[in-house]
Amino acid sequence: MKLYNDGLLNDLDTALTLGRCSFVIPQDAGGVEDRSGGSKPTLWNSECGGTFGHELTFSRTLEIQMGMQTSFETVKNAQGGTEIHKDWYPGYGSYWDQLRESIVSKKGLGNWKGFIWHQGTQGR
């Protein structure tokens, strides 16, 4: 109900003015696969993931509720069935190099601010 009351669910069919998104999947052999076809306007049907997820409400929060004044991109770097320490921990995790590569590939295109972890349904 808070999302509704804060206006974050209004006009979901209208792209954000500043927020964009993209979706990459880390590959076991190294590198990432771009599943979204590059940076796209943040919409519920933008293909920034198999379905929309945290990138939609997170981007809407940055732009609408927090009044973000500069362009930004939310990059979804996802692989199902992983564990944060085993797979994503800096310098150690099996997908850390791919995550870092996706960050480095955007060098000069912005200022990285954070990393969001979503625990899936398998409880790992």
Side-chain angles (χ1 to χ4, degrees), residues 57-71:
T57 53
F58 181 70
S59 293
R60 291 181 68 79
T61 299
L62 286 175
E63 186 165 322
I64 296 169
Q65 191 174 43
M66 297 180 72
M68 191 82 150
Q69 298 296 312
T70 59
S71 61

Side-chain angles (χ1 to χ4, degrees), residues 54 79-84 117-124:
H54 303 303
Q79 181 65 274
T82 60
E83 301 172 43
I84 194 164
W117 171 261
H118 168 76
Q119 180 63 49
T121 58
Q122 295 193 1
R124 290 185 175 184

Side-chain angles (χ1 to χ4, degrees), residues 8-54:
L8 296 176
L9 301 179
N10 297 346
D11 303 316
L12 286 177
D13 291 331
T14 303
L16 294 174
T17 304
L18 301 170
R20 299 185 65 80
C21 64
S22 59
F23 177 46
V24 296
I25 295 179
Q27 302 298 296
D28 290 331
V32 294
E33 177 187 346
D34 181 355
R35 287 280 179 98
S36 60
S39 180
K40 299 185 176 228
T42 302
L43 284 166
W44 65 271
N45 62 350
S46 62
E47 297 300 321
C48 292
T51 59
F52 72 85
H54 303 303

Side-chain angles (χ1 to χ4, degrees), residues 52-122:
F52 72 85
H54 303 303
E55 70 282 353
L56 180 64
T57 53
F58 181 70
S59 293
R60 291 181 68 79
T61 299
L62 286 175
E63 186 165 322
I64 296 169
Q65 191 174 43
M66 297 180 72
M68 191 82 150
Q69 298 296 312
T70 59
S71 61
F72 63 92
E73 181 178 355
T74 304
V75 180
K76 187 179 208 176
N77 189 325
Q79 181 65 274
T82 60
E83 301 172 43
I84 194 164
H85 186 267
K86 178 181 169 229
D87 298 302
W88 302 99
Y89 193 79
Y92 171 79
S94 56
Y95 291 120
W96 169 251
D97 288 337
Q98 292 89 326
L99 175 61
R100 188 176 183 289
E101 182 180 320
S102 70
I103 294 169
V104 170
S105 74
K106 302 287 185 176
K107 190 173 184 172
L109 299 176
N111 198 356
W112 284 82
K113 297 294 185 188
F115 174 84
I116 298 171
W117 171 261
H118 168 76
Q119 180 63 49
T121 58
Q122 295 193 1

